[in-house]
Amino acid sequence: MKPKQTYLFLIFSFLLLQACNNNDCGCVTPPQSGYGFFYPIYKQYVEYEVEETQYALSQEPLVKTYQIKELVDSFFTDIDGKEAILIKRFHRNNEQQAWKLDSVFTSKRLQDKALKSANNITYLKFIFPLKDKMTWDINQFNDLGKDEVIVENLYKPYTVNNQYFPITVGIVQQNDSTLVDLKKKIEVYADGVGLIYAEKTALAYCNTPDCIGKSKVDFGTRFIMKYKKNGKE
């Protein structure tokens, strides 16, 4: 490469790097710790759309829809002397109704983990720094029995409700599919927002010779919660 060409190449490379640093070129630098997926900000809220479906043999599926809002209400010092977060969950059937307090839970982020406590049960939600395909026991801090999750699609984009999130992570507790049943427990978190998608599915399929393999549901339940919007009060 000639000296003049080398000089121009270096200038171009420098300008491209600066553009990326300023986020002008659409490139995204992923966080290295994963802290951004657990992102408590005072008075920040996230609203969700929820659909619950119950299946029963020889009956039409029973579908229930409603909305949930989770609000970072306050920060406090817990019995271990650590900063913790009080989160309030609200419920309503539709946008014409006022929000009603549904439940309260707490969570906290330490240097190497994030915990969530509800109904006197503590779950290990994250281990930091996050790495793709890493696993941990979410019940490490309770007596419910070992239950491992696995990290998938770390720092990958995800779209929910036609809203695009450039940096997300999937936490998969269960994702088993056979000819006779389907079991899924999945959560997706977005950097700077938190939880944007959750699914809990447990379905039993028809397994008689005339319908096996056709995914015809005999009975079971499906719970899907999707991000709607977030903001601050």
Side-chain angles (χ1 to χ4, degrees):
M1 185 178 293
K2 296 181 180 179
K4 185 177 181 180
Q5 292 175 320
T6 302
Y7 178 71
L8 292 174
F9 174 77
L10 291 174
I11 291 177
F12 175 77
S13 298
F14 174 78
L15 292 174
L16 181 61
L17 178 60
Q18 288 298 106
C20 284
N21 288 336
N22 293 328
N23 290 325
D24 292 331
C25 66
C27 45
V28 177
T29 302
Q32 296 304 309
S33 65
Y35 285 161
F37 298 122
F38 186 85
Y39 199 70
I41 298 177
Y42 180 62
K43 293 302 180 181
Q44 175 175 272
Y45 67 85
V46 183
E47 293 184 14
Y48 303 95
E49 296 175 346
V50 180
E51 182 176 283
E52 287 189 43
T53 307
Q54 294 184 344
Y55 299 87
L57 194 62
S58 301
Q59 296 182 23
E60 289 295 317
L62 178 61
V63 181
K64 181 169 62 173
T65 61
Y66 53 93
Q67 298 177 357
I68 283 175
K69 179 171 77 171
E70 292 187 353
L71 170 69
V72 178
D73 183 75
S74 58
F75 291 80
F76 66 97
T77 302
D78 66 10
I79 60 174
D80 297 321
K82 304 295 185 181
E83 183 181 69
I85 309 131
L86 180 69
I87 298 175
K88 291 183 177 180
R89 172 176 279 195
F90 299 87
H91 173 282
R92 68 183 181 186
N93 291 327
N94 53 60
E95 293 186 357
Q96 283 67 51
Q97 294 184 341
W99 290 107
K100 292 184 178 180
L101 183 63
D102 178 79
S103 58
V104 176
F105 60 92
T106 63
S107 60
K108 62 182 176 181
R109 188 184 75 192
L110 305 177
Q111 183 176 1
D112 62 341
K113 66 178 73 73
L115 305 170
K116 174 183 176 181
S117 298
N119 300 317
N120 295 317
I121 300 175
T122 299
Y123 300 93
L124 178 57
K125 301 299 290 184
F126 288 101
I127 287 182
F128 304 116
L130 284 176
K131 297 179 180 179
D132 209 25
K133 302 302 180 183
M134 73 184 295
T135 64
W136 66 82
D137 177 14
I138 64 170
N139 291 332
Q140 181 177 334
F141 294 93
N142 62 53
D143 57 2
L144 295 179
K146 188 174 182 180
D147 193 351
E148 284 198 340
V149 297
I150 184 170
V151 176
E152 292 190 352
N153 300 316
L154 182 60
Y155 305 139
K156 299 294 179 63
Y158 191 86
T159 299
V160 57
N161 266 346
N162 295 318
Q163 299 184 75
Y164 175 81
F165 297 89
I167 303 176
T168 70
V169 62
I171 306 297
V172 180
Q173 186 175 349
Q174 190 175 25
N175 192 9
D176 302 321
S177 178
T178 70
L179 291 176
V180 296
D181 65 8
L182 173 66
K183 297 178 181 178
K184 294 177 68 175
K185 292 182 181 179
I186 298 173
E187 293 181 338
V188 180
Y189 293 80
D191 183 58
V193 177
L195 183 67
I196 58 171
Y197 180 85
E199 178 178 352
K200 296 179 182 178
T201 297
L203 303 178
Y205 297 135
C206 174
N207 59 7
T208 58
D210 61 322
C211 65
I212 190 169
K214 297 181 179 180
S215 299
K216 180 179 180 297
V217 178
D218 273 351
F219 58 88
T221 59
R222 170 172 278 154
F223 170 95
I224 295 179
M225 186 166 74
K226 297 180 179 181
Y227 171 93
K228 182 182 179 185
K229 67 177 183 179
N230 71 316
K232 288 192 69 176
E233 292 193 343

